[in-house]
Amino acid sequence: MKSIPKIALLTLGALSLIIGILFYVGGTSGSIEVGGDSIDVPTYTETLIVWSYILIGLTLLFTLGAVVLQFIEKVKKDTKSAVKSVIAVAALVVILLISFVVGTSETMTIVGYEGTDNSGFWAQFTDMCLNSMYFLIVVAALAAIGSSVYGYIRK
């Protein structure tokens, strides 16, 4: 049973390596004009993007599954610590909601892009990701500084 994760890891790694190599040496399927320059489009761009989505999906699936299993074990052992972990998740959801509301749905000007995914919900979603990332980086930096100061004072 312990060999299954190793086999899965090696298989995913080998597929990623093959798709990466194909992306770089697989030739081009034409070119596009961006800002007045002609850029070659690799043949396996779509394959690389789909593979990235698959890997992200698998990562989310297994991460959420592990979190749920860990939560169930915590509830069985110590309900208070399980409630504390739910509070942390709820705080993250609140941060994401506030970041989404603060974000703007105005159209972003992107050179060479003429689609519609740069306005409305997706523009606001992008702002949410950026704003929450900035907030969490500041919180992490303050926590690092605070723990250093606390450690220094405690001595």
Side-chain angles (χ1 to χ4, degrees):
M1 194 67 163
K2 290 185 177 184
S3 65
I4 292 175
K6 284 185 181 180
I7 292 170
L9 178 65
L10 290 174
T11 303
L12 292 174
L15 283 171
S16 297
L17 183 66
I18 290 168
I19 292 171
I21 290 171
L22 283 174
F23 178 77
Y24 285 107
V25 299
T28 60
S29 61
S31 62
I32 58 172
E33 291 288 326
V34 176
D37 295 332
S38 180
I39 299 175
D40 292 332
V41 178
T43 303
Y44 294 97
T45 302
E46 188 71 25
T47 306
L48 182 66
I49 291 171
V50 170
W51 182 243
S52 298
Y53 287 153
I54 290 170
L55 290 177
I56 290 169
L58 287 172
T59 301
L60 286 173
L61 178 73
F62 285 113
T63 302
L64 290 175
V67 167
V68 168
L69 289 176
Q70 186 179 25
F71 177 74
I72 291 170
E73 287 180 17
K74 273 188 177 182
V75 167
K76 290 178 183 176
K77 291 180 183 177
D78 185 18
T79 308
K80 283 187 177 182
S81 67
V83 169
K84 286 181 183 178
S85 65
V86 170
I87 290 172
V89 171
L92 182 61
V93 169
V94 168
I95 290 169
L96 291 174
L97 286 173
I98 291 171
S99 296
F100 185 79
V101 170
V102 169
T104 179
S105 60
E106 293 180 18
T107 302
M108 295 181 290
T109 304
I110 302 172
V111 176
Y113 180 74
E114 298 175 8
T116 59
D117 290 335
N118 59 341
S119 62
F121 169 80
W122 290 111
Q124 199 166 4
F125 179 79
T126 303
D127 277 353
M128 177 195 74
C129 293
L130 291 171
N131 290 334
S132 59
M133 180 180 64
Y134 298 150
F135 178 77
L136 292 173
I137 286 172
V138 168
V139 168
L142 290 175
I145 293 168
S147 71
S148 296
V149 169
Y150 178 75
Y152 181 75
I153 293 172
R154 193 167 184 202
K155 288 182 181 181

